[in-house]
Amino acid sequence: MAEVRLDRVVKRYPGLAADAVQETSLTFEDGLFTCILGPSGSGKSTILKLLAGIEEVTSGRILMDGADITNVTPERRDVAMVFQSYALYPNMNARDNIAFPLMLRGLGRQERYRHVEEVAEMLGIRGLLDRQPRALSGGERQRVALGRAIVRSPKVFLLDEPISNLDANLRATTREELKRIHQRLGATFIYVTHDQDDAEAMSDRVVLMARGSVQQYDTPTAIYRRPANRFVASFVGRLPMSFVRGEIREEEGRLRFDSGPVWVDLAGRRGLPAGPVVVGVRPEGVTISSSRGAPMVGKVTLTEVVAPDLYATVSVGDVSLRARVPGEHVVGVGDEVGVTFVRSLLHFFDATSGERIVVEDEPATVRSWDVAV
Ligand SMILES: Nc1ncnc2c1ncn2[C@@H]1O[C@H](COP(=O)(O)OP(=O)(O)O)[C@@H](O)[C@H]1O
Ligand SMILES: [Mg+2]
């Protein structure tokens, strides 16, 4: 087990105008499963390659359990990497593919194969060991590649989108399996993905990246519930967050958010500065009801089913809001509905920078049940 730290690390590829990784200081905690999540090109794989030692930092240091490994060669770092492409040796059967790192270490044949059997047992692939990679399915190859990493018993596993080539069902079962393997090995897992489902299903921590910089480091729950800025808020969530630009003002001693047709009484919420602001709200934070007597009324412009839930997009004046429709309700395009906000589910962002405005009565960030055990 090991803690891995980036200390003011920068990575610039020659010929590239922007840094692939802007100055980053970050700790991957000992024994945790951390996902590096972000869109394509945000620098996720680069971070993994720097940790593996197959790319050199432009500046800064990499530390493992406090020791500087910046200039240590890949073979001598106690890490194992699994690529999206699996990178198996095509002319070796699965057994020898898995045994390969042990051969490099000079272990005898019998001992190598004994270790392979153990790992294959854990991965449920004992029956496949005599097959060549071309005779294996994508999921099976992925397991062999994982086996080749596990057999080395490294302190740190580096996984780069290892399941994104698998079909949806297999991805789901493989996530469970990876989680189980992580628990069993107790090693530090660092897992790169663009898929938020991976992060939600497996990780203890999420590093959310955009344009070569870390936007937020947090638990998956906190990333969803308390996004640090508008980028994170938009990137995470099955359906997009609705954003409303407006103003916070005080009227007769009460705080109120106002955006023409859309408004919210914010009495009792502290820490919100008066002035321009962007309110973000996820579908579960918008409630629709009968329009009769409702203080805010809108028209349904779109309905979507994301089983088991129904969602409606509602226009209130020129503002568009997505709402989760309560189970017993039926709505259709053109219906007039009442709209209210769940105040505790509103997010406030600086109108210029897009950074989250932290409200004083916000719940604490990390709770024990936030962390997958
Ligand atoms: N070997 C390389 N040479 C030059 N540019 C690269 C190289 N590898 C990655 N990049 C660039 O660095 C940026 C980050 O890439 P990468 O880390 O692969 O992103 P991600 O894994 O998040 O998709 C991208 O702009 C990419 O084009
Ligand atoms: Mg990548």
Side-chain angles (χ1 to χ4, degrees):
M1 291 202 280
E3 172 197 280
V4 187
R5 207 143 68 82
L6 299 180
D7 177 29
R8 288 167 292 157
V9 163
V10 175
K11 177 62 183 180
R12 185 175 311 135
Y13 291 109
L16 222 67
D19 291 343
V21 177
Q22 297 177 35
E23 189 176 298
T24 297
S25 294
L26 179 68
T27 302
F28 296 95
E29 296 172 57
D30 184 6
L32 294 193
F33 195 124
T34 302
C35 272
I36 305 178
L37 175 66
S40 175
S42 56
K44 308 181 298 292
S45 295
T46 299
I47 289 190
L48 220 59
K49 288 177 195 162
L50 294 171
L51 295 173
I54 52 184
E55 285 286 353
E56 277 179 30
V57 302
T58 304
S59 61
R61 298 187 307 158
I62 299 173
L63 307 166
M64 194 188 279
D65 282 336
D68 191 335
I69 58 160
T70 318
N71 298 312
V72 173
T73 56
E75 317 77 69
R76 302 196 41 236
R77 295 186 184 190
D78 207 348
V79 305
M81 188 152 169
V82 180
F83 299 90
Q84 182 179 7
S85 60
Y86 315 137
L88 299 178
Y89 302 105
N91 50 359
M92 280 183 199
N93 64 21
R95 177 179 288 104
D96 286 320
N97 261 287
I98 297 173
F100 194 73
L102 301 180
M103 191 170 81
L104 293 184
R105 267 184 210 168
L107 260 66
R109 194 186 169 88
Q110 249 185 349
E111 202 179 345
R112 291 203 301 268
Y113 287 174
R114 191 171 53 74
H115 284 294
V116 171
E117 289 292 330
E118 277 171 28
V119 171
E121 175 73 43
M122 186 194 307
L123 293 167
I125 52 168
R126 283 185 70 179
L128 306 174
L129 291 176
D130 292 317
R131 293 207 207 157
Q132 306 275 319
R134 66 172 173 277
L136 297 171
S137 71
E140 291 163 348
R141 279 180 214 173
Q142 185 265 339
R143 249 155 258 236
V144 173
L146 197 60
R148 193 174 52 185
I150 294 172
V151 82
R152 295 173 54 185
S153 40
K155 286 186 178 161
V156 180
F157 283 82
L158 305 171
L159 304 124
D160 195 345
E161 314 236 12
I163 67 172
S164 52
N165 288 340
L166 309 181
D167 64 55
N169 279 337
L170 196 51
R171 275 208 301 278
T173 50
T174 310
R175 283 186 192 114
E176 287 172 25
E177 211 170 319
L178 279 169
K179 188 73 201 153
R180 190 173 51 74
I181 290 169
H182 169 249
Q183 278 161 6
R184 174 153 170 191
L185 300 176
T188 306
F189 274 51
I190 304 175
Y191 185 106
V192 161
T193 181
H194 64 276
D195 184 347
Q196 55 176 314
D197 291 343
D198 287 345
E200 266 171 37
M202 295 182 287
S203 62
D204 304 306
R205 296 285 185 275
V206 176
V207 176
L208 207 141
M209 304 271 306
R211 284 169 271 100
S213 81
V214 175
Q215 307 294 307
Q216 188 166 357
Y217 171 82
D218 230 319
T219 63
T221 328
I223 292 257
Y224 183 85
R225 294 195 193 155
R226 292 177 290 285
N229 58 41
R230 281 188 61 175
F231 178 85
V232 177
S234 312
F235 190 78
V236 174
R238 208 130 281 108
L239 287 170
M241 187 182 271
S242 308
F243 293 104
V244 189
R245 195 170 276 278
E247 204 169 332
I248 290 178
R249 47 175 97 99
E250 209 175 309
E251 267 169 28
E252 293 156 17
R254 289 168 83 90
L255 272 189
R256 174 185 161 100
F257 169 78
D258 233 309
S259 171
V262 171
W263 56 270
V264 197
D265 182 2
L266 297 171
R269 296 216 76 167
R270 286 168 299 164
L272 286 170
V277 73
V278 172
V279 162
V281 61
R282 296 194 191 280
E284 60 268 32
V286 183
T287 309
I288 60 177
S289 56
S290 154
S291 64
R292 204 181 311 158
M296 211 159 48
V297 173
K299 196 170 243 172
V300 175
T301 57
L302 177 78
T303 60
E304 297 161 272
V305 177
V306 181
D309 296 310
L310 175 66
Y311 294 86
T313 302
V314 182
S315 280
V316 184
D318 57 355
V319 174
S320 193
L321 299 166
R322 211 188 237 94
R324 185 167 65 197
V325 180
E328 68 279 13
H329 283 248
V330 180
V331 293
V333 170
D335 290 357
E336 289 232 317
V337 291
V339 180
T340 44
F341 293 110
V342 181
R343 280 199 320 174
S344 61
L345 297 181
L346 296 178
H347 305 265
F348 299 91
F349 300 102
D350 187 284
T352 320
S353 69
E355 292 299 309
R356 177 184 198 80
I357 299 168
V358 178
V359 181
E360 276 175 39
D361 53 359
E362 230 166 47
T365 303
V366 179
R367 300 223 186 123
S368 55
W369 42 260
D370 274 336
V371 184
V373 201

